[in-house]
Every structure is written in C-alpha cells, then in structure tokens.
Amino acid sequence: MNPDLFFQYLFAGISYGIIYAIVGVGFNIIYNTTGIINFAQGEFVMLGGMIAFSLLQWMPLPLAIAAAVAVTMVVGALIEIVFIRWLDRPSVLRMIIITIGLSILIREVALHIWGESIRALPYFYGNEITTVSIAGVKVSPQVLWVVGICSVIVGTLNLFFYASPLGREMRACAANRTAATLCGINTNNMVTLSFMLSAGIGALAGCVMSPITYTSYDMGTGLAIKGFTVAILGGLGNSLAAVAAGLLLGIIEAFSISVVPLAFQDAIAITILLIILFVRPHGLFGSKEAASLKEF
Amino acid sequence: MNTKKNIGVLGLLGLVIMIQLLTHWTGTQYYLTQLTMSAYYSLVILGLCVLMGYAGQISLGHAGFFAIGGYLAAALTTHDLTPYSNTLIIQVLNRCGLLIQGQDIYGDVLLYFNPWVSCILAISAAALTALVTGIPVLKLKGHYLAMATLGFGTIIYRIVLASAFFGEADGISDVPPFTLVSGIPGLPVIEVSGDFSGRVQNYYIAWSMVIAGTLLLLNLIDSRVGRALRSIHGSEETADAMGINTARYKLKTFILSAIFAAAAGVFLTHFNGGIGPSEAGIMKSVRYVAIVAVGGMANIWGALTMGVLLNFLSLRGIFGTYDDAVFGLILILIMLFAPEGILSIRIRQRLRNAFSSSTSEIRGGESS
C-alpha cells in the first residue's frame, strides 16, 4: 500500500469513526443518567438528516440544520416524558424492549413521511468534486466539516459536564440518583435533559454526515450497533474513550475494505463488538472494578 | 395438574380439527395456508418463550436460527451436485442413498440432497451454531446479551445477503417438496409442499408439529429442568448457590430454542417453496420477541395463542403497510401497561369468572 492510498483510507476512517463516536457518546449520555441503553439512538441521527432535508425548502442550510436539531431534541424529550418518565423502576429487559419498539416506530413513521428513497443534504462548501489538499492527500471539505463539528460537540459536552452547574447536576444524578434527589436535584428533569442532549447531538451528527453518507429511513439500526460497539469498546459511560474507540473502529473498517468484501463490512464491527463483550466487557480503557459495580 | 395439561393439549387438538372442518364447510379453505404458516412461526415463538420467559434470556437473533434452518434446507436441496459427482464424498453419499436424482428441462441428470438429509443437516447446523455462540453469549446479561444476540442475527443476515450460494438478495426459490412418507401401502404420499391439493394435509403436518412441540415444552417446564430454569430467572446467584448448573441449563435451553426455530425454518421453506433474506432480518427477530412479550413471557399457551393470532392477522395483510409499525406499537404498549402479557390483565380474570372452567383449554394459561 503506497502512502497516498494509506492516507486516503485513514481520512475515510476518521470521518466515519467520528460519526460512530458521536452516536457512542449519545449512548453514554443517556446511560449515565438512567442506566438505560437507548436502542433508538441511531434513529435520532436519521431524524436529524431527514428533517433538515425537508426544512431546506423554506430556509437556508444553517437555519434548517439548527431547526432540525431543535425538532429532534423535542422528539427526544417527548419520548422520555411519554414513555419512560413515569415507569417505576423498570427492569432492564423491559427498557430494552421499549426502546427497541420506539426505534421501530420512529423508523416506520419516517418511512411513511419520507419514503424509501435516499436523501442527502447539499455539501456545506463547494460540491462533490471540491477537494482540499492535506499532506498530499485530496479530501472533501465536508470531511473537515464533519471532523470539525464533531470535535466541537465533544469538546463542548466535556466542558458542559465538568464546568457548568447543570452538567455537574447531571453527573451527580449519574453517580447516585437517590443522593442527587436528596441534594435537591430534580432527577426526572435531568433524565429528560439527557434525552434531549443525546437526541440533539445525534441529529447534528446526522446533518453533517448526510452529504457524504446519505440519509435513509433504515440507517438507524446499523448506526446503533456501531455506536454501541464504540461505547462498549471505550467502556460504557466514558465519553472521551468512546471518541478514541470510534476513531479506532472507523479506521479498522476503512482499512478492512482492502481485505474483505464491502458486503461484509458491517460484520467486522459486530465481530469486534462480540470479541470485546466476551473478553473485556469493561472496555479497552475502563476499569474492571468500576464496571462490576454498574448494572447492565 | 397433569390432567389439566393434557386437557389443554387435547383441547388444542380439538380446536385444530374443528377449524379445519369449519373452513371445509364454509368454503374458506384459503385460510388454511396462512394458518399453516402461522403454525410454523408459532413453533419459533414457543422455543423463544421457554428461553425468554422461563430461563430469562433475551434473544434478538432468533430469526438467524430460523434462517440457518431454512436457508440450508433450501440450498442443499436446490444446488446441483453433479459437477462434484466424481469426488469421493459425493459418491459415498450417493451409495448410501442420501442423494436423489432429478432432471432438468433438457433431460440432463441432476443430483440433489435428499430433503431428509438436508433437514437433519440444517437442524444440526443450527444446534451447533447455538452451542458455539451460546457458550460465550449466555455469560452476558441485560443490554450486553441483547446487543450480542442482535449482532449474531445481523451477521447471519449479512451472510445470506452477500453470498451467492444463498441467492443474495433474491433468496432461494424452487425448493422441492419434502416427502415425509411415501411408498407405504394404504397410505397416501405425505409431503410438505405448497401444492394446492396438499393444503389440508400440510395444515395437519404443521399443527401436529406445534402440538408435539407444545407437549414437549409443557412437560419440560413442569420437570426438574423447568424449575431450575425458573430459579435462574428469579435469581441466578441463588440458583448457583443451590447447586444448579446455571450455565449448562441456559445453554441447553438456548440450543433447544434454536432447534425449534431451525425446524420451523426447514418446514416453512419447503412449504413456501423458497426463502428470502427478509426471513433473517432483525425485524423478524424483534417480531418474535414482541409476540412472546404479548403472550406473557413465561406462558406457553399465551405465546402460542398470540403467535398464531398475530402471525395470522399479519399474513392476511390486515395491517397493510403498517405491519412493522403495528408490531413496534404492540411491543411498546405491552411493555408499558402490561409487562406480564396481555392475557394477564383483568380481561382474563373477567373471562375466567364468566366462563368458569369450560374454556380453559383455549386459554389454558393457568394450567402451567
């Protein structure tokens, strides 16, 4: 493999990897405050892209994306309020089945609204053939947009969780819900907020990736499996590790194209997921002791 | 308790015969096709019911086992072996009478696996896959178990969709009938096929499998194994402390449910005369889980009733283009309002008061 091709694969891997990372971070946000794995996480990404595409008829691109993110956040909040908030300590099995049901429902609604055709937002800068040259490799500016925006999302989230009072309250809720309630934190609202946040960043990722990867009504499940792989790979609940794991998975997938047929590409992520689950269920970067205290 | 169970099974047998006669008298025999298909799908659901309801292990990959059964049966009975007829293994198989000969439209001799052989191979393959994947997968719990089984199902789906041997996106068609009994004087040829004239026959083949399966599982959950499984569901640690080999019981149940799914896959494929990749899809697996949940998890009769009812309605096209959405909605509503299953809510109490014990063979949930 010559260096040019190597870097080409590397950039492709990074741009996909950062999207997996964002979905993985979305899983983590909800898992941290509720202990739930939201199987409908991939559907938020799909909704973001689809809604922005529809709104594009009436408004310019930045406004459409902002509105799509807002609408998806409302959807996320509604889901939490209608389906999850009032359940009294539901079992894990029950939550798994409810979120799977939700993902099916969102997907079917999307199918009836937008149909089976594949949509794509326009490129943010230039078009399909515009390239910029980095270290002798030609990359689409959209890849830089994806990497840039996703990095900003992760950075802002970290700042939010560690430096703002609201973020601290959410972390308190994650650490010990009863204790957080006793300190006067409205834990129910924190859970709603975590669903909104997770839906919002999912939708934003869905918008920036749409020009390159396209948006279709059934993209959610595949993304959810990959996002989950990434979340587990980094250790459930650890967002920065999820980013590293996402980049790793994206790069592995990109380079695997030269070895295995494209049709089996999805199988690679799943194989990695299964191996990690069997061998190191606390993740590459997580500690075993901490993981054994959590509930799955 | 034992008599109650037998009454339930006898009642089911009576109901099956009654429905057949009813369709005969009213001239609505076209319902039998969907009832036969529902019966095979119910077989998958019965197996999954024991795994989910009694052993407490969720599986989002059961369509994978169904597909292993169906696809192997279809591939082995439709791929011509004559190019390999000089190899030793094919010659040995041929000598043993495990292959059958056919003719193509030009009169050339073709060589296929006997459906019996492919059936046994397909079910063994599913059981072996369950054994190999089950050992690591069943160590996981909760979300991890759900994701791992979902991953397993996706891999099977990808494999059938991407390999030419399994017909890629077209699936496999022209699967020959599966002759169960032939050449015995006084008995007609009994075969599993979608042939128009064999509709009644196939209805009874499918339902006798369901009745046999139900009887087997009812006895299983009433036995030492069933009690062990329920203790695992209650608390795995306690079951372990009581000296129950939890890993072994879980694995055995997993394999049993895989065999049920694969057998259903083999028979339904021969009945339909083909199989497509959608049978292996995640949506199918989710649908099986949904029906077990609606039936009330640890409730064989509930799973059977709902399995037949919902599959029948879905196959008749009642839900139209909202088919998947209906199953998603059912899943959510049941889990939100009646996590113990639809037969557990007050309707059942009222029905029981209204009809006392006369209808217990239809619902029969209390017999277990």
Side-chain angles (χ1 to χ4, degrees):
Chain A
M1 187 179 288
N2 61 2
D4 271 3
L5 202 59
F6 175 84
F7 279 108
Q8 208 75 55
Y9 278 138
L10 191 68
F11 273 103
I14 289 173
S15 54
Y16 274 91
I18 200 114
I19 287 160
Y20 300 155
I22 292 296
V23 182
V25 171
F27 271 118
N28 278 336
I29 293 174
I30 293 183
Y31 177 80
N32 266 342
T33 45
T34 60
I36 295 170
I37 293 290
N38 173 25
F39 279 75
Q41 189 65 39
E43 267 63 36
F44 290 148
V45 180
M46 179 268 292
L47 277 183
M50 284 296 193
I51 294 173
F53 178 84
S54 291
L55 291 178
L56 206 55
Q57 301 169 25
W58 297 294
M59 48 186 88
L61 187 63
L63 216 57
I65 290 175
V69 170
V71 171
T72 315
M73 282 171 91
V74 172
V75 171
L78 279 178
I79 284 177
E80 200 278 332
I81 291 166
V82 175
F83 297 106
I84 290 161
R85 193 182 195 120
W86 51 277
L87 292 177
D88 183 30
R89 268 182 286 161
S91 70
V92 169
L93 186 65
R94 208 170 152 198
M95 286 321 306
I96 292 174
I97 295 180
I98 289 177
T99 52
I100 287 177
L102 283 171
S103 86
I104 295 169
L105 218 54
I106 297 174
R107 190 160 62 225
E108 289 302 308
V109 170
L111 174 64
H112 279 273
I113 296 177
W114 289 287
E116 281 186 342
S117 54
I118 290 167
R119 312 295 171 91
L121 289 176
Y123 279 71
F124 292 3
Y125 173 82
N127 53 33
E128 302 88 81
I129 50 167
T130 316
T131 53
V132 280
S133 200
I134 301 170
V137 189
K138 295 206 183 312
V139 277
S140 162
Q142 191 65 29
V143 170
L144 300 180
W145 274 106
V146 171
V147 174
I149 289 183
C150 290
S151 310
V152 170
I153 292 177
V154 174
T156 321
L157 269 182
N158 248 23
L159 213 61
F160 169 74
F161 275 119
Y162 286 89
S164 77
L166 200 59
R168 270 202 291 273
E169 283 183 17
M170 282 179 82
R171 280 197 299 131
C173 183
N176 188 333
R177 217 157 152 189
T178 326
T181 316
L182 290 174
C183 292
I185 297 169
N186 187 339
T187 49
N188 277 341
N189 285 354
M190 292 301 130
V191 174
T192 314
L193 193 65
S194 71
F195 267 83
M196 286 174 73
L197 213 57
S198 166
I201 63 163
L204 188 54
C207 291
V208 287
M209 70 187 271
S210 176
I212 324 177
T213 63
Y214 307 121
T215 311
S216 64
Y217 81 98
D218 59 352
M219 70 193 287
T221 318
L223 270 179
I225 290 181
K226 283 178 188 164
F228 185 79
T229 308
V230 165
I232 298 278
L233 203 59
L236 213 50
N238 185 345
S239 287
L240 273 183
V243 175
L247 291 176
L248 190 66
L249 178 66
I251 291 169
I252 290 175
E253 268 195 4
F255 279 99
S256 72
I257 291 177
S258 54
V259 190
V260 272
L262 188 62
F264 291 112
Q265 203 192 15
D266 277 354
I268 290 170
I270 297 165
T271 315
I272 293 174
L273 167 69
L274 292 180
I275 292 171
I276 284 290
L277 283 179
F278 301 150
V279 184
R280 255 186 100 83
H282 45 285
L284 285 182
F285 312 106
S287 90
K288 199 172 182 175
E289 285 73 29
S292 65
L293 291 172
K294 287 181 187 164
E295 248 190 87
F296 301 118
Chain B
M1 193 147 176
N2 223 350
T3 50
K4 235 179 177 180
K5 186 168 66 197
N6 291 336
I7 288 173
V9 174
L10 277 179
L12 176 63
L13 184 65
L15 199 67
V16 167
I17 295 173
M18 216 173 71
I19 288 175
Q20 192 266 314
L21 291 177
L22 212 63
T23 56
H24 183 72
W25 289 328
T26 55
T28 49
Q29 279 175 321
Y30 47 84
Y31 284 130
L32 290 183
T33 308
Q34 285 91 27
L35 281 170
T36 310
M37 290 170 76
S38 314
Y40 288 129
Y41 283 127
S42 305
L43 213 54
V44 187
I45 289 154
L46 283 175
L48 189 61
C49 173
V50 173
L51 181 68
M52 272 179 67
Y54 292 90
Q57 310 298 310
I58 191 174
S59 168
L60 288 168
H62 253 58
F65 290 117
F66 180 93
I68 290 177
Y71 262 102
L72 276 182
L76 293 177
T77 50
T78 51
H79 281 281
D80 180 24
L81 294 172
T82 35
Y84 317 104
S85 59
N86 291 327
T87 55
L88 184 68
I89 187 161
I90 296 298
Q91 278 174 348
V92 171
L93 288 172
N94 205 2
R95 288 278 168 72
C96 300
L98 299 179
L99 305 177
I100 49 169
Q101 291 191 341
Q103 269 186 343
D104 65 7
I105 45 171
Y106 306 110
D108 289 333
V109 178
L110 301 174
L111 212 51
Y112 302 114
F113 271 99
N114 186 318
W116 272 109
V117 179
S118 69
C119 168
I120 291 164
L121 281 177
I123 295 177
S124 319
L128 197 68
T129 316
L131 176 73
V132 173
T133 54
I135 292 172
V137 164
L138 291 174
K139 283 188 186 142
L140 307 169
K141 291 194 191 76
H143 295 121
Y144 285 7
L145 179 65
M147 268 296 176
T149 50
L150 188 67
F152 165 76
T154 315
I155 287 182
I156 299 286
Y157 178 67
R158 286 283 154 199
I159 289 174
V160 297
L161 199 60
S163 46
F165 184 67
F166 294 119
E168 292 175 342
D170 294 331
I172 300 175
S173 52
D174 295 327
V175 178
F178 183 178
T179 311
L180 296 173
V181 178
S182 75
I184 298 178
L187 266 180
V189 177
I190 298 179
E191 59 179 21
V192 180
S193 72
D195 196 27
F196 201 64
S197 57
R199 215 158 39 180
V200 177
Q201 193 186 44
N202 269 287
Y203 172 78
Y204 280 111
I205 293 171
W207 278 98
S208 41
M209 279 184 73
V210 170
I211 290 172
T214 312
L215 203 58
L216 180 80
L217 294 181
L218 282 176
N219 279 316
L220 184 79
I221 56 177
D222 256 355
S223 69
R224 193 184 163 79
V225 182
R227 285 191 292 279
L229 290 179
R230 259 170 289 178
S231 73
I232 293 174
H233 194 184
S235 162
E236 202 171 325
E237 287 80 10
T238 319
D240 252 334
M242 298 294 287
I244 293 166
N245 191 339
T246 49
R248 206 185 185 90
Y249 275 117
K250 282 197 287 185
L251 185 62
K252 279 182 178 167
T253 318
F254 192 59
I255 295 174
L256 182 72
S257 69
I259 289 174
F260 266 66
V266 171
F267 277 82
L268 188 58
T269 303
H270 281 290
F271 178 68
N272 283 344
I275 186 168
S278 72
E279 289 293 346
I282 291 170
M283 204 39 231
K284 281 279 178 188
S285 295
V286 172
R287 176 175 294 207
Y288 298 142
V289 171
I291 294 173
V292 171
V294 177
M297 296 288 188
N299 186 345
I300 296 276
W301 288 109
L304 182 61
T305 317
M306 286 300 148
V308 174
L309 187 71
L310 289 177
N311 272 311
F312 180 72
L313 292 179
S314 164
L315 288 166
R316 290 295 305 169
I318 303 281
F319 308 130
T321 52
Y322 295 94
D323 205 44
D324 284 347
V326 165
F327 277 90
L329 197 64
I330 288 174
L331 206 53
I332 298 174
L333 291 178
I334 289 296
M335 278 296 129
L336 285 181
F337 300 111
E340 304 298 315
I342 202 159
L343 295 177
S344 75
I345 47 181
R346 279 197 206 118
I347 301 166
R348 188 165 133 191
Q349 284 290 331
R350 276 185 217 151
L351 277 176
R352 193 188 291 179
N353 295 341
F355 298 108
S356 66
S357 63
S358 62
T359 50
S360 69
E361 61 264 35
I362 301 167
R363 295 169 294 114
E366 59 271 30
S367 65
S368 52

